[in-house]
């Protein structure tokens, strides 16, 4: 069952597109990692889905199928409708929990506001539900936690509180933008495990935005790689890590030293150049100027399509590379 | 063997805290009895989570802050008690690279002005060394008349490395110097630091939290936990056969490409309990702790050649499960 179908999503701010024809779909309960370097468009794409861009032109569609069968297009939803969807059906957590929380209100006050807005709970019922939610995200002493201001909590606990607020409305889709990037590795592992267990319990789907492929591997069912505003590879996580098809994906994987593979090689493989700015893209493949496998034709002359190269039916392993077949051999 | 270029011996840093206005003052340890040597031409990694004291170690090594106890030696000379005037000629020898190059390069100065400052401090007036240094970091002379804002994050970090190198230092302290960079750019800067070490025989104290990066760049790695150095060993030995339970936990928590986590709701133990002043700092979280661990501070012991650990449980086999 499809939860979200994004078709040809584009975002521009009056100039060349920052997000350019992004299409993907995800199933109910699926965790999709959106990965890419800075400037790849991953955060802009997700903010567009949430209607949080503020300005900018959004084109294309992003159809969200709700549990009750209703459909809503996140790309062209009115701000009034959005109020009914955000927090209840779709919610979001960010990298820095401290800047998402009000520093002078207690956790209790902030949670009660969320519960009143999204669930219509007030008074003792809101209090009880807040305690239940904090318990669910693994906070040992929820009662005490509710009385604290955010500053009194550790980074991991703050992120847990935000997750508790995000799941208060039992959303079908959670957008998580680098939610563990600011956390220490041991805390990161705890938060990732928490997200996995919440998914297992509630069947909530998740778009997990990260620049860290090892983190993506830890949590995701699918990996979608963005480069210069486009999807360049979209694959099941197992297939992606076993045999990435797009040269850019391979370069990204090679550039991040894993802790199992750091010895022997005394240098890291280098990907030269940088992501082209939106105004500096050529007509061909946007990765071509940096690609070791580049051939003048077709790479520089023609923008490759995003092709599905999966063997099985109903499977998706899409890649945007004019030479993927030769390179796979 | 020659004297280590930098030696930190028994360094502690304490802060006095008072519970309320009339409360009794109590000592909080930011660092507790930390000792290590940085050898000539070596890259020594320091890892640990936030609050473990790794940055404080770097600052004390540079004498930017003073230790409460212990000594710092630069090339065999005790610099712990030197006045700031007496310290000046020594400062050149040890340079710092920060995490955020956009905050450490003056946005109003051109690259030429920025790179001339270290030369001026050394009394050099001509620019030939600047051109040579730009070539080393892989940039052209056209960079000179631009301001930092016109460069990408990776280029800016290379420029701040160039500025540090123009002081002609023996030691570089790189505090999370690649953490803010994208992976591909991070790889370039890591390789550059390795090249510089090989070319100039620099010694580098590389402070980081990404175990993969620290493991690749470092010859040896020190692991810090709540102000204590709990293990220090050659990188490969540390990764393949950690001897301290905290190191093992850190390695197990590091995400891996191709690895998967299982859902499991762990509880957050909440705010950190104050570090026990008596026993091992890790004892409260350690599944291998015995009574002695909670009552007596462990001492560093050598468990394999050059492999030191502050864990008294010599009987543990902490080899990571995935190996």
């Amino acid at each position: 069952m499809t939860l979200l179908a994004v078709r040809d999503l584009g975002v521009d701010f009056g100039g060349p597109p920052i997000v350019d024809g992004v299409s993907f779909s995800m199933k109910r309960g699926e965790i999709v990692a959106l990965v890419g370097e800075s400037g790849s468009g991953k955060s802009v794409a997700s903010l567009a889905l949430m209607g949080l861009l503020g300005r900018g032109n959004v084109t294309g569609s992003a159809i969200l199928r709700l549990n009750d069968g209703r459909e809503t297009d996140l790309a062209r939803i009115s701000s009034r409708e959005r109020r009914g969807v955000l927090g209840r059906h779709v919610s979001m957590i960010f990298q820095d929990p401290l800047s998402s929380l009000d520093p002078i209100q207690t956790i209790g006050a902030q949670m009660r506001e969320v519960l009143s807005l999204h669930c219509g709970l007030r008074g003792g019922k809101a209090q009880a539900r807040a305690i239940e939610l904090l318990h669910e995200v693994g906070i040992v002493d929820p009662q005490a936690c509710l009385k604290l201001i955010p500053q009194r909590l550790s980074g991991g606990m703050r992120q847990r509180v935000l997750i508790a607020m995000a799941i208060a409305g039992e959303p079908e889709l959670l957008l998580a933008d680098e939610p563990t990037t600011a956390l220490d590795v041991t805390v990161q592992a705890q938060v990732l495990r928490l997200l996995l267990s919440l998914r297992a319990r509630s069947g909530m789907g998740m778009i997990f935005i990260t620049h860290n492929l090892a983190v993506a591997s830890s949590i995701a069912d699918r990996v979608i790689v963005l480069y210069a505003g486009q999807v360049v590879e979209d694959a099941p996580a197992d297939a992606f890590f076993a045999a990435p098809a797009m040269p850019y994906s391979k370069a990204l994987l090679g550039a991040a030293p894993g802790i199992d593979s750091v010895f022997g090689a005394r240098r890291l493989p280098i990907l030269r150049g940088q992501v082209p700015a939106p105004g500096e893209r050529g007509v061909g493949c946007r990765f071509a100027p940096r690609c070791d496998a580049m051939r003048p034709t077709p790479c520089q002359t023609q923008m490759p399509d995003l092709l599905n190269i999966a063997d099985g039916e109903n499977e998706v392993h899409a890649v945007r590379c004019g030479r993927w077949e030769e390179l796979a051999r | 063997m020659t004297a280590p270029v930098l030696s930190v011996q028994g360094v502690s840093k304490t802060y006095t805290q008072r519970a309320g206005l009339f409360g009794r003052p109590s000592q909080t340890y930011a660092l507790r009895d930390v000792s290590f040597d940085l050898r000539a031409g070596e890259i020594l990694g320091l890892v640990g989570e936030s609050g473990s004291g790794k940055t404080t170690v770097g600052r004390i090594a540079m004498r930017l802050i003073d230790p409460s106890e212990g000594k710092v030696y630069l090339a065999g000379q005790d610099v712990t008690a030197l006045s700031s005037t007496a310290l000046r000629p020594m400062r050149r020898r040890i340079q710092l690279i920060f995490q955020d190059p956009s905050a450490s390069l003056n946005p109003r100065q051109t690259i030429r002005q920025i790179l001339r400052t270290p030369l001026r401090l050394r009394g050099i007036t001509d620019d030939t060394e600047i051109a040579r240094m730009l070539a080393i970091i892989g940039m052209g002379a056209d960079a000179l008349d631009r301001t930092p804002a016109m460069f990408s994050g990776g280029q800016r970090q290379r420029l701040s490395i160039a500025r540090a190198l123009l002081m002609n230092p023996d030691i570089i302290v790189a505090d999370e110097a690649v953490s803010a960079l994208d992976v591909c750019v991070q790889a370039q800067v890591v390789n550059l630091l390795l090249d510089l070490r090989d070319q100039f025989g620099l010694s580098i104290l590389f402070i980081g939290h990404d175990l993969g990066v620290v493991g690749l760049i470092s010859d040896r790695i020190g692991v810090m936990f709540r102000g204590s150095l709990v293990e220090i060993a050659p990188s490969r030995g540390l990764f393949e056969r950690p001897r301290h339970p905290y190191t093992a936990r850190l390695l197990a928590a590091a995400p891996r490409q191709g690895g998967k986590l299982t859902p499991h709701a762990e509880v957050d133990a909440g705010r950190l309990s104050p570090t026990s002043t008596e026993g091992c700092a890790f004892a409260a979280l350690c599944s291998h702790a015995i009574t002695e661990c909670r009552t007596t501070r462990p001492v560093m012991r050598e468990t394999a050649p050059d492999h030191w650990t502050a864990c008294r449980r010599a009987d543990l086999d902490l080899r990571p499960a995935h190996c």
Side-chain angles (χ1 to χ4, degrees):
Chain A
M1 262 272 275
T2 307
L3 170 66
L4 178 71
V6 178
R7 286 288 159 265
D8 225 15
L9 184 74
V11 180
D12 70 77
F13 297 93
I18 306 299
V19 174
D20 193 3
V22 165
S23 299
F24 66 91
S25 59
M26 58 187 286
K27 297 191 208 92
R28 235 161 245 294
E30 193 173 30
I31 300 182
V32 171
L34 223 50
V35 302
E37 293 174 272
S38 354
S40 61
K42 55 192 193 303
S43 287
V44 172
S46 68
L47 290 174
L49 288 179
M50 296 293 285
L52 295 177
L53 273 179
R55 58 202 179 84
N57 311 311
V58 179
T59 54
S61 67
I63 310 284
L64 178 74
R65 281 198 189 95
L66 305 177
N67 277 342
D68 57 15
R70 277 186 302 147
E71 287 190 354
T72 177
D73 185 350
L74 294 176
R76 57 190 71 227
I77 190 171
S78 72
S79 51
R80 196 163 146 200
E81 278 175 291
R82 182 172 290 122
R83 238 169 281 148
V85 171
L86 287 198
R88 200 162 312 164
H89 300 288
V90 186
S91 55
M92 189 156 188
I93 52 176
F94 297 92
Q95 174 170 346
D96 178 10
L98 200 53
S99 61
S100 310
L101 289 165
D102 184 335
I104 56 167
Q105 281 199 66
T106 62
I107 300 300
Q110 298 183 59
M111 288 203 71
R112 282 193 294 273
E113 186 183 352
V114 169
L115 288 165
S116 148
L117 269 174
H118 298 313
C119 315
L121 294 177
R122 283 187 180 80
K125 278 188 181 156
Q127 180 80 5
R129 178 70 177 136
I131 289 172
E132 199 177 285
L133 283 166
L134 289 181
H135 187 74
E136 207 170 326
V137 297
I139 283 176
V140 186
D141 188 352
Q143 264 110 340
C145 179
L146 286 174
K147 296 194 188 104
L148 299 175
I149 55 166
Q151 224 189 332
R152 304 276 301 163
L153 304 177
S154 68
M157 275 177 86
R158 283 179 205 140
Q159 197 58 284
R160 283 169 195 265
V161 166
L162 273 184
I163 293 171
M165 291 183 182
I167 61 169
E170 296 176 349
E172 285 112 307
L173 176 63
L174 178 72
L175 258 103
D177 191 351
E178 303 266 10
T180 61
T181 307
L183 304 176
D184 284 322
V185 279
T186 51
V187 183
Q188 167 171 278
Q190 290 170 6
V191 170
L192 293 175
R193 287 200 154 124
L194 168 66
L195 290 172
L196 281 168
S197 68
L198 290 174
R199 186 267 298 262
R201 232 177 297 160
S202 69
M204 138 186 107
M206 213 181 298
I207 297 180
F208 192 99
I209 297 162
T210 180
H211 67 280
N212 186 329
L213 282 164
V215 169
S217 170
S218 304
I219 190 166
D221 305 311
R222 296 187 72 74
V223 176
I224 297 177
V225 183
L226 287 181
Y227 186 78
Q230 294 177 316
V231 174
V232 295
E233 185 154 5
D234 174 355
D238 297 338
F240 180 82
F241 289 101
M246 167 76 188
Y248 176 63
S249 309
K250 289 178 203 166
L252 266 188
L253 285 164
I259 71 164
D260 305 326
S261 58
V262 292
F263 306 109
R266 285 301 287 162
R267 293 292 186 278
L268 285 165
I270 286 294
L271 179 57
R272 59 180 187 274
Q274 47 189 306
V275 184
E280 293 162 7
R281 298 165 182 155
V283 289
C285 169
R286 288 181 186 164
F287 183 61
R290 306 173 74 186
C291 185
D292 287 334
M294 194 271 284
R295 296 281 175 277
T297 45
C299 301
Q300 285 180 323
T301 54
Q302 202 189 348
M303 169 67 69
D305 289 327
L306 189 64
L307 280 182
N308 190 1
I309 60 168
D311 292 329
E313 267 177 75
N314 302 325
E315 281 175 40
V316 177
H317 184 167
V319 59
R320 190 187 292 278
C321 174
R323 302 191 63 221
W324 74 269
E325 242 176 327
E326 292 164 70
L327 298 174
R329 268 182 232 133
Chain B
M1 224 168 113
T2 52
V5 287
L6 168 73
S7 180
V8 169
Q9 292 305 324
V11 161
S12 296
K13 178 74 188 169
T14 52
Y15 292 97
T16 309
Q17 268 190 336
R18 214 178 260 278
L21 188 59
F22 302 107
R24 205 190 291 163
S26 65
Q27 299 273 301
T28 308
Y29 278 95
L31 276 189
R32 183 116 199 238
D33 195 15
V34 171
S35 303
F36 64 87
D37 289 343
L38 176 65
R39 299 166 187 163
E42 173 186 53
I43 302 184
L44 174 65
L46 268 189
V47 295
E49 300 186 284
S50 13
S52 62
K54 50 194 197 299
T55 293
T56 307
V57 166
R59 308 243 143 156
I60 285 178
M62 297 200 63
R63 282 279 331 264
L64 291 175
I65 46 180
D66 291 324
S68 311
E69 278 167 61
K71 301 255 183 231
V72 178
Y73 299 87
L74 269 182
Q77 188 189 344
D78 184 353
V79 296
T80 327
L82 287 188
S83 69
S84 56
T85 338
L87 204 57
R88 275 211 137 191
M90 309 295 287
R91 283 241 194 262
R92 177 193 65 75
R93 306 167 68 153
I94 175 162
Q95 292 292 315
L96 184 60
I97 309 171
F98 296 93
Q99 172 166 359
D100 181 1
S102 36
S104 54
L105 297 173
N106 186 338
R108 289 172 181 273
Q109 291 189 337
T110 61
I111 301 305
R112 190 190 306 276
Q113 287 170 309
I114 289 171
L115 295 183
R116 262 183 189 162
T117 308
L119 290 179
R120 201 183 61 230
L121 291 171
R122 287 169 58 201
I124 297 170
T125 46
D126 76 304
D127 286 354
T128 46
E129 223 175 311
I130 291 184
R132 192 175 64 94
M133 195 54 69
L134 280 178
I136 288 170
I137 61 162
M139 291 172 80
D142 56 328
L144 285 173
D145 294 311
R146 296 197 243 158
T147 55
M150 297 167 83
F151 295 92
S152 68
Q155 289 171 321
R156 279 199 285 254
Q157 195 59 296
R158 279 186 271 161
L159 287 166
S160 56
I161 292 172
R163 179 178 60 180
L165 288 176
L166 283 170
M167 286 303 284
N168 201 14
D170 307 321
I171 304 167
I172 295 251
V173 176
D175 190 353
E176 300 278 7
V178 300
S179 308
L181 306 174
D182 272 322
V183 280
C184 300
V185 182
Q186 175 178 291
Q188 293 168 7
V189 175
V190 163
N191 287 359
L192 174 65
L193 288 172
L194 284 164
D195 290 343
L196 293 172
R197 188 273 298 271
D198 293 354
Q199 268 181 48
F200 302 111
L202 274 176
S203 310
I204 303 177
L205 184 63
F206 189 88
I207 300 168
H209 67 277
D210 183 323
L211 291 166
V213 173
V214 177
L216 180 110
I217 199 170
S218 308
D219 304 302
R220 288 190 305 145
I221 297 176
V223 180
M224 298 204 57
F225 179 75
R226 293 198 197 167
S228 297
L229 185 68
V230 298
E231 186 164 5
I232 183 165
S235 308
R236 185 188 281 259
L238 187 94
F239 276 31
E240 288 177 356
R241 177 92 205 268
R243 314 280 173 141
H244 195 285
Y246 176 65
T247 310
R249 173 181 289 207
L250 212 53
L251 289 168
R256 294 173 162 74
Q257 290 180 5
K260 278 205 183 303
L261 282 174
T262 47
H264 174 54
E266 283 164 88
V267 291
D268 195 315
R271 288 181 68 77
L272 297 179
S273 51
T275 307
S276 139
T277 41
E278 275 121 44
C280 166
F282 189 59
L285 294 169
C286 182
S287 51
H288 307 286
I290 51 175
T291 320
E292 233 189 320
C293 297
R294 299 192 184 88
T295 54
T296 333
R297 253 183 90 75
V299 286
M300 275 275 181
R301 56 188 184 85
E302 193 172 22
T303 52
D306 214 17
H307 193 137
W308 294 79
T309 176
C311 178
R312 60 167 51 80
R313 294 286 309 266
D315 52 319
L316 298 177
D317 186 357
L318 298 166
R319 244 173 284 239
H322 63 274
C323 276

